[in-house]
Amino acid sequence: MKLRHYIFYIVMMYNISFSQFPLDIGKLIDKEFNIFFDVKSFPIEDSIFDRIDILYRIPNNFFILIRDQENLFRAIGEIDIEIKDTLNTSVDRKIHKIEFTNDSNLLNTESFTTGISSFTLKRCKYKVILIVSDRQSTRQYKGEKFSSP
């Protein structure tokens, strides 16, 4: 009987591993998880600088929950925001770590990780690249938007 359970377990794990195909970065994941980000520019008075705010909202079910030693389910990820100028040269970058726990492996589809990241840069048009990565898997989202000068 134990051998039958063991074989069943092996066959199920084999089938599950092939059903989880890698997603096309930034295409399928965007529609499936509804990741939102926006870029807002605010001129600083009496200055040649602008404050550029990047607003983001990521559904928590984007992240994979793994059971830890305390019997809680933990999600670990990061948000990487990079600013590039018109010559495609990196001007500034910020990385925000994300970590949260849950009592079960099911996440509420109405829970989100939100935030604002601000940069003070010379007045110019910039390309903003947002990369959201789940550290428990290879799941990743990449989006690009431009700031207004």
Side-chain angles (χ1 to χ4, degrees):
M1 187 67 169
K2 285 186 179 184
L3 180 62
R4 195 179 296 168
H5 285 285
Y6 182 73
I7 292 172
F8 176 76
Y9 177 77
I10 296 293
V11 169
M12 289 302 296
M13 294 310 291
Y14 182 78
N15 289 336
I16 289 172
S17 68
F18 280 106
S19 68
Q20 296 177 355
F21 60 92
L23 295 172
D24 190 9
I25 295 173
K27 293 195 170 92
L28 296 176
I29 207 83
D30 181 41
K31 291 179 176 63
E32 184 179 343
F33 288 99
N34 198 18
I35 292 175
F36 166 82
F37 85 102
D38 199 10
V39 178
K40 301 289 184 191
S41 295
F42 302 98
I44 298 175
E45 201 171 314
D46 298 330
S47 175
I48 61 169
F49 294 96
D50 281 348
R51 188 186 87 217
I52 299 173
D53 289 347
I54 292 86
L55 298 82
Y56 55 86
R57 186 181 91 162
I58 301 146
N60 286 340
N61 63 356
F62 172 83
F63 302 101
I64 304 295
L65 292 167
I66 304 291
R67 189 185 306 251
D68 64 7
Q69 292 84 8
E70 295 144 12
N71 234 7
L72 291 173
F73 291 91
R74 183 175 310 277
I76 301 170
E78 66 183 31
I79 300 170
D80 183 354
I81 302 170
E82 186 172 11
I83 310 287
K84 292 188 175 187
D85 63 9
T86 54
L87 300 174
N88 211 26
T89 305
S90 183
V91 176
D92 204 349
R93 184 179 189 181
K94 289 184 182 177
I95 298 174
H96 303 282
K97 304 287 184 192
I98 299 171
E99 186 169 342
F100 58 88
T101 58
N102 201 27
D103 293 334
S104 75
N105 63 347
L106 299 175
L107 283 173
N108 182 355
T109 57
E110 300 299 318
S111 63
F112 297 92
T113 297
T114 60
I116 299 174
S117 191
S118 295
F119 298 84
T120 302
L121 302 168
K122 284 189 176 177
R123 193 163 292 135
C124 182
K125 185 175 185 173
Y126 293 102
K127 178 167 58 170
V128 178
I129 302 167
L130 176 91
I131 300 173
V132 181
S133 303
D134 177 44
R135 291 291 161 224
Q136 311 282 24
S137 69
T138 59
R139 187 176 288 175
Q140 188 176 62
Y141 165 83
K142 181 178 180 181
E144 297 178 359
K145 290 194 177 183
F146 289 92
S147 69
S148 57

